[in-house]
């Protein structure tokens, strides 16, 4: 990045003498510069401090470098291109590069359901869930009292006895207990009772108090979650910090860190809550070796290409045809027609998918019931018809865009070329094929490529219209005839039983990214040839 | 419209560029810092940080019912509860991803079947209801219990029942065969269009609504362990009566009697029932108000049986959960245990959402309405929807197989067996 910004640029452009407009050196410009840079820096300092407190050293270093760089770019004289480039480059880094790099990183982890956070989180959450109330044990009323810095629980037994205890010190008798109106002990000699607000101030410490019921830990531990009631708990799993293991208090089974982001016994018994770890190429391997995926993957890839290509051709064909028609100089009411044509474009795609899904209902849908006089055509449930329906709806959704683009491009074509051709006696078709279309393609080809890329990943239409169905019968997975790669990723990663698997999803997404990137690169190279028509 | 536009349009004024940079810089910095830098575990004790706010994620429907109790809580304790309205479809996923970052809410409202995933990801804290547990309907508390620990404060229970248009069929029936006979009679003599309605997804089927018919033939999804929780290793779908139920589906389906029609989506079913086109509609309490508004005389019948077992619907329990990383767990527990469990709140939640309350006292009041009472009675006979994460492996195959059978495709015994082995394979993964 620095290299790019650092390129020597002629900096000292003499200021134009004619108009004292708001140049960089005018007072207002300078003030605006100071103000905005000040705001940026203030925010940066806040973020840097937060990062420092949380000891995120790498990110801190990067953030500091970025802040310094921004200041350097805007404070020094000259370097105009850098000043214009900086925002663009930063946006690119944040919205493109960061996302791609982060997805790439996730693809090499086991991030997903059950592997959601750090190991510390997993340990604390397992310990928390492992505390089970001893069945039918009584509830104790408690008050939180303080002596010195130590918080203790003043406990009133269900039968009225009052005792006190704190973490590590079992319940013991207490002197001078002061009882409230309900018979609950609210104070004791030598102790200060915490008010409700003080309780709120010390929430973490209070919920962490664990008072042993007696000398024998097996009797259980008193714990309170609200500062006024306590229950007897006994852990079913105990964490041993030194050995980094959980032990089952009943069976004695020992769960150790298996290296794959969860605690596991020697016989493969696993604690459900795990944490995120790197897994290398495992996710990519699964994408290519899972027997349930391999088979359908080929037909899904073929259909994805067919769908994306078909969508582009149909949308472009229809859009171009209509654009040509409505571009005829003698046509009246062009504006109205054009407005009507653009309507589908104004529809949100997922909504349109749902509406069409209703209209294509085999028995009650508008298409069968009204247009085909009550015919029984399985639009969405026959594999080939479903494919056809998906293409049809996507064309309906997509042609207005192409219509707009083509209309614009047509109108910018020079009229004299047309006329010259006509003078030479060329037919309308010949003019279209040899002059208009090539000129049109120069400007629309990049859009066709991006439309292809978009439809390659057109999740909305498929998901809302057919849900990927009808299902293939030769796989265990919920994959069907109209599934694109992207819906397949969604289903495989988020709906197949083992819960969501962001790692696998990212790995598949990276694969799709590579496919689309390669196609786009090749196509853009090809379109260069088109541009030569122009020069 | 010019098609070729390049990205490098130079802003006219320096100020603009600078503005863009400051925004971008902010984004870069926050994006860098966002991921895992928010773990500010030691800075949010209420008193020390001066913060007196709890955050609670709710959906739009429930938010109004809670404003009063949050105001009361603020008056009593000085703690404000910020109700953040979230999209229901997104909220559980957001909760799972945000709690570990420390940015999640302190409390969340949701159905109990999210629980398994929450526990698997370690994002909810257990909550001990203590004596209060006895004030709730038993099924509500058991639904909130997962692997022996209770995790939520329940507030409503919902399940499906059989709506009957009393103008078309005056008397209740007890078995599915009688229901079908009555329905066909209504079609033949009273101008009804469909003997029986149930909303299906034309692409995925609807095992949820058909479940009582299945259980009455003795085919639950999962068996239970000694604590009464579902046991993922005991997939009961494959029990011997499964094939019999599959055969029934085909018999009722489009190639048979036409009682079940995969093209009738939930919307179409509702529309047809409200138009008086069918005497029966297998659905939940949420569709009753609209039917009554449409002028249908609705009665709620017990679910009809097919086999010799009781017809048990899935019971869904909604409740409040506390985040495992809440920095204000004591305040959140105080609010959940002592405020959300009151009769007034449970009454208000019922008035707001129309779902039968989980608190027995509130339910008894609500049951003055015969519709609520009828659904409640059916629910008392139901089983909690499995909250175990393995349930996710079941839905797609289960629905797909039922759909195929209803469409008249495949051999019942064979496709049911394939479904069972597919699900078993997925769970084993």
């Amino acid at each position: 990045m620095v290299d790019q910004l650092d390129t020597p640029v002629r900096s000292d452009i003499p200021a134009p003498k004619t108009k004292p407009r708001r140049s960089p050196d005018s007072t207002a410009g300078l003030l605006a510069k100071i103000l905005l840079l000040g705001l940026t820096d203030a925010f940066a300092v806040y973020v840097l401090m937060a990062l420092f407190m949380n000891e995120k050293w790498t990110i801190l270093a990067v953030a500091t470098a970025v802040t310094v760089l921004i200041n350097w770019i805007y404070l020094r004289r000259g370097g105009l291109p850098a000043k214009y480039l900086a925002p663009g480059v930063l946006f690119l880094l944040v919205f493109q590069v960061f996302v791609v790099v982060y997805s790439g990183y996730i693809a090499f982890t086991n991030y997903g359901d059950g592997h959601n956070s750090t190991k510390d989180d997993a340990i604390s959450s397992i310990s928390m869930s492992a505390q089970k109330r001893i069945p039918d044990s009584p509830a104790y009323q408690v008050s939180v009292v303080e002596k010195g810095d130590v918080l203790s629980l003043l406990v009133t037994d269900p039968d009225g006895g009052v005792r006190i205890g704190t973490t590590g010190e079992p319940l013991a008798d207490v002197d001078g207990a002061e009882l409230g109106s309900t018979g609950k002990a609210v104070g004791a000699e030598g102790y200060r009772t915490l008010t409700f607000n003080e309780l709120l101030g010390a929430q973490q410490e209070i919920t962490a108090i664990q008072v042993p019921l007696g000398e024998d830990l097996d009797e259980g531990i008193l714990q309170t979650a609200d500062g006024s009631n306590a229950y007897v708990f006994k852990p079913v799993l105990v964490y041993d910090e030194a050995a980094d293991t959980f032990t089952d208090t009943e069976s004695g089974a020992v769960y150790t860190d298996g290296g794959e982001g969860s605690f596991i016994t020697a016989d493969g018994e696993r604690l459900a809550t795990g944490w995120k770890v790197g897994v290398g190429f495992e996710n990519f391997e699964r994408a290519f070796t899972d027997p349930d995926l391999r088979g359908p993957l080929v037909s899904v890839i073929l259909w994805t290409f067919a769908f994306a290509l078909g969508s582009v051709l149909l949308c472009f064909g229809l859009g171009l045809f209509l654009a040509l028609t409505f571009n005829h100089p003698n046509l009246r009411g062009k504006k109205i027609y054009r407005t009507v044509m653009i309507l589908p474009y104004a529809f949100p795609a997922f909504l349109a998918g749902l509406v069409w899904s209703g209209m294509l209902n085999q028995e009650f849908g508008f298409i069968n019931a009204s247009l085909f006089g009550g015919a029984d055509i399985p639009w969405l449930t026959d594999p080939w018809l479903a494919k056809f329906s998906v293409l049809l709806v996507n064309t309906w959704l997509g042609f207005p865009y192409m219509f707009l683009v083509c209309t614009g491009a047509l109108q910018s074509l020079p009229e004299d070329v047309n006329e010259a051709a006509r003078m030479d006696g060329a037919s309308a078709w010949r003019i279209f094929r040899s002059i208009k279309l090539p000129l049109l393609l120069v400007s629309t080809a990049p859009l066709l490529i991006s439309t292809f890329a978009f439809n390659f990943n057109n999740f909305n239409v498929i998901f809302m219209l057919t849900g990927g169905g009808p299902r293939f019968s030769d796989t265990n997975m919920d994959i069907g005839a109209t599934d694109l790669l992207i819906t397949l990723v969604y289903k495989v990663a988020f709906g197949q039983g083992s819960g969501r698997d962001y790692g696998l999803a990212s790995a598949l997404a990276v694969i799709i990214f590579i496919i689309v990137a390669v196609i786009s690169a090749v196509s853009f190279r090809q379109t260069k040839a088109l541009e030569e028509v122009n020069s | 419209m010019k098609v070729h536009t390049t990205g490098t349009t130079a802003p006219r004024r320096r100020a603009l560029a600078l503005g863009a940079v400051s925004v971008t810089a902010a984004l870069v910095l926050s994006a860098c810092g966002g991921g895992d830098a928010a773990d500010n575990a030691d800075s949010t004790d209420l008193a020390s940080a001066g913060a007196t706010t709890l955050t609670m994620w709710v959906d739009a429907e429930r938010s109004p019912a809670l404003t009063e109790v949050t105001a009361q809580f603020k008056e009593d304790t000085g703690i404000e509860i910020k109700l953040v309205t979230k999209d229901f479809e997104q909220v559980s996923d957001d909760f799972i991803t945000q709690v570990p970052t420390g940015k999640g809410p302190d409390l969340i409202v949701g159905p109990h079947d999210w629980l398994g995933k929450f526990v698997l990801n370690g994002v909810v804290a257990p909550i001990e209801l203590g004596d209060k547990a006895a004030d709730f309907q038993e099924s509500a508390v058991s639904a909130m219990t997962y692997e022996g620990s209770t995790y939520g404060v329940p507030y409503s229970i919902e399940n499906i029942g059989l709506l009957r248009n009393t103008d078309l069929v005056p008397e209740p029936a007890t078995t599915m065969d009688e229901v079908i006979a009555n329905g066909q009679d209504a079609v033949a003599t009273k101008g009804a269009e469909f003997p029986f309605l149930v909303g299906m997804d034309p692409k995925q089927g609807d095992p949820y609504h058909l479940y009582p018919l299945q259980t009455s033939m003795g085919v639950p999804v999962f068996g239970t362990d000694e604590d009464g929780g579902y046991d993922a290793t005991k997939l009961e779908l494959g029990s011997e009566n499964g094939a019999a139920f599959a055969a029934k589906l085909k018999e009722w389906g489009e190639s048979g009697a036409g009682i079940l029609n995969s093209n009738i989506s939930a919307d179409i079913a509702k529309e047809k029932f409200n138009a008086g086109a069918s005497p029966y509609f297998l659905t939940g309490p949420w569709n009753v108000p609209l039917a009554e508004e449409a002028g249908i005389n609705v009665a709620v019948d017990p679910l009809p049986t097919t086999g010799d077992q009781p017809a048990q619907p899935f019971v869904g329990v909604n409740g409040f959960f506390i985040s495992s990383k809440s920095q204000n767990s004591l305040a959140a527990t105080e609010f959940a245990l002592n405020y959300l469990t009151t009769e007034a709140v449970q009454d208000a939640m019922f008035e707001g959402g129309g779902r039968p309350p989980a608190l027995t006292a509130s339910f008894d009041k609500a049951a003055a309405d015969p519709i609520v009472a009828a659904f409640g009675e059916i629910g008392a006979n139901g089983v909690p929807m499995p909250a175990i994460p393995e349930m996710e492996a079941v839905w797609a195959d289960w629905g797909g197989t039922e759909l195929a059978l209803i469409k008249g495709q495949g051999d019942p015994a064979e496709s049911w067996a394939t479904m069972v082995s597919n699900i078993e394979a997925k769970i084993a993964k």
Side-chain angles (χ1 to χ4, degrees), chain A residues 446-479:
Chain A
L447 287 171
L448 294 181
I449 295 167
S450 62
T451 309
F452 177 84
F454 172 80
N455 280 311
F456 203 84
N457 289 324
N458 198 335
F459 184 86
N460 283 343
V461 167
I462 303 295
F463 202 70
M464 289 300 171
L465 198 62
T466 60
R471 273 180 73 160
F472 290 135
S473 49
D474 60 346
T475 168
N476 190 351
M477 301 238 170
D478 177 27
I479 305 170

Side-chain angles (χ1 to χ4, degrees), chain A residues 409-492:
Chain A
L410 274 176
Q411 284 169 350
S412 68
L413 291 186
E415 192 52 33
D416 48 351
V417 188
N418 251 335
E419 248 164 67
R422 217 171 296 142
M423 293 297 221
D424 288 346
S427 67
W429 170 244
R430 180 75 199 200
I431 295 175
F432 170 74
R433 213 175 52 98
S434 305
I435 297 177
K436 281 190 184 168
L437 191 61
L439 285 173
L440 214 69
L441 280 178
V442 173
S443 48
T444 49
L447 287 171
L448 294 181
I449 295 167
S450 62
T451 309
F452 177 84
F454 172 80
N455 280 311
F456 203 84
N457 289 324
N458 198 335
F459 184 86
N460 283 343
V461 167
I462 303 295
F463 202 70
M464 289 300 171
L465 198 62
T466 60
R471 273 180 73 160
F472 290 135
S473 49
D474 60 346
T475 168
N476 190 351
M477 301 238 170
D478 177 27
I479 305 170
T482 54
D483 262 320
L484 299 181
L485 273 171
I486 191 77
T487 55
L488 174 126
V489 169
Y490 178 82
K491 287 175 171 182
V492 169

Side-chain angles (χ1 to χ4, degrees), chain B residues 32-122:
Chain B
C32 295
D36 33 11
D39 190 26
N40 38 6
D42 34 8
S43 63
T44 44
D45 274 354
L46 280 177
S48 60
T52 47
T53 309
L54 291 178
T55 313
M56 177 161 168
W57 282 359
V58 293
D59 51 302
E61 201 184 307
R62 264 149 279 217
S63 179
L66 287 168
T67 42
E68 204 171 306
V69 61
T70 52
Q72 183 65 42
F73 189 63
K74 177 155 195 207
E75 203 185 306
D76 293 352
T77 61
I79 302 168
E80 185 175 342
I81 296 185
K82 210 167 86 191
L83 295 172
V84 181
T85 309
K86 298 277 281 187
D87 178 18
F88 183 78
E89 300 286 319
Q90 278 298 320
V91 66
S92 72
D93 285 354
D94 286 358
F95 187 70
I96 290 170
T97 44
Q98 291 200 21
V99 164
T101 69
K103 283 184 180 168
D106 299 291
L107 293 144
I108 182 174
V109 184
H112 80 272
D113 53 314
W114 288 351
L115 195 53
K117 243 180 177 185
F118 284 175
V119 175
L120 177 64
N121 286 306

Side-chain angles (χ1 to χ4, degrees), chain A residues 21-22 24 32-34 36-37 40 43-44 47-48 50-51 54 56 59 62-63 66-67 70 74 80 83-84 86-87 90-91 94-95 98 111-117 121 125 128-129 131-133 139 196-197 199-207 225-228 231 233 272-274 290 292 357 361-364 376 380-381 404-405 408-409 411-412 442-444 446-447 463-467 471 475-478 494-500 502 531, chain B residues 1-4 8 10-33 35-41 45-48 73 76-77 79 92-93 96-97 100-101 117 119-126 128-131 146-149 151 193-194 202-204 254 261-265 268 272 324-334 337-338 389-390 392-393 396-398 400 407 421-423 425-426 429:
Chain A
R21 283 174 62 190
R22 197 195 264 182
K33 178 165 155 178
I34 291 171
L36 288 168
L37 207 55
T40 310
F43 184 78
V47 172
L48 293 180
L51 289 174
N54 286 295
K56 307 280 180 194
I59 305 173
V62 173
V66 170
T67 315
I70 290 172
Y74 290 97
L80 200 61
K83 286 174 186 172
Y84 286 134
L90 283 177
F91 271 118
V94 174
F95 293 114
F98 176 75
Y111 183 31
D113 270 340
H115 301 278
N116 194 32
S117 192
D121 280 353
S125 138
M128 210 193 266
S129 303
Q131 296 286 347
K132 305 265 174 184
R133 184 179 168 188
F196 183 69
N197 276 336
L199 291 183
L200 294 177
Q203 295 185 56
Q204 306 293 314
E205 293 98 275
I206 292 167
T207 48
D226 59 2
S228 62
Y231 301 96
F233 290 93
T273 310
D290 190 321
D292 279 316
S357 159
N361 186 305
Q362 190 175 343
E363 195 173 333
F364 303 93
D376 198 31
L380 300 177
T381 45
L404 275 176
V405 167
Q411 284 169 350
S412 68
V442 173
S443 48
T444 49
L447 287 171
F463 202 70
M464 289 300 171
L465 198 62
T466 60
R471 273 180 73 160
T475 168
N476 190 351
M477 301 238 170
D478 177 27
F494 301 129
Q496 294 289 335
S498 49
R500 292 163 313 155
Y502 293 117
E531 276 170 46
Chain B
M1 185 176 150
K2 192 80 179 124
V3 181
H4 256 315
T8 53
R12 251 178 251 149
R13 280 179 286 166
R14 179 70 53 94
L16 256 181
L18 259 174
V21 168
S22 65
V23 170
T24 322
L27 281 168
V28 171
L29 293 170
S30 60
C32 295
D36 33 11
D39 190 26
N40 38 6
D45 274 354
L46 280 177
S48 60
F73 189 63
D76 293 352
T77 61
I79 302 168
S92 72
D93 285 354
I96 290 170
T97 44
T101 69
K117 243 180 177 185
V119 175
L120 177 64
N121 286 306
V123 293
V124 278
E128 184 50 59
L129 292 174
D131 300 340
Y146 188 79
E147 291 183 345
S149 301
Y151 285 91
E193 205 179 329
F194 305 95
K203 290 159 238 158
Q204 289 165 348
E254 286 157 31
N261 183 335
S262 68
N263 292 316
I264 298 183
S265 67
I268 294 171
K272 296 288 181 192
S324 63
K325 292 200 82 181
S326 167
Q327 299 304 316
N328 304 309
S329 59
L330 193 137
T333 310
E334 167 77 15
L337 267 185
N338 296 330
E390 285 82 2
E392 243 175 80
D397 287 273
W398 193 16
K407 282 184 164 305
S421 65
N422 277 351
I423 296 174
K426 275 187 205 175
K429 258 185 200 171

Side-chain angles (χ1 to χ4, degrees), chain B residues 189-215:
Chain B
T189 60
K190 297 195 178 144
E193 205 179 329
F194 305 95
F196 179 84
L197 285 172
V198 53
M200 303 277 285
D201 185 324
K203 290 159 238 158
Q204 289 165 348
D206 199 329
Y208 172 81
H209 281 100
L210 298 178
Y211 193 59
L213 299 173
Q214 188 179 325
T215 47

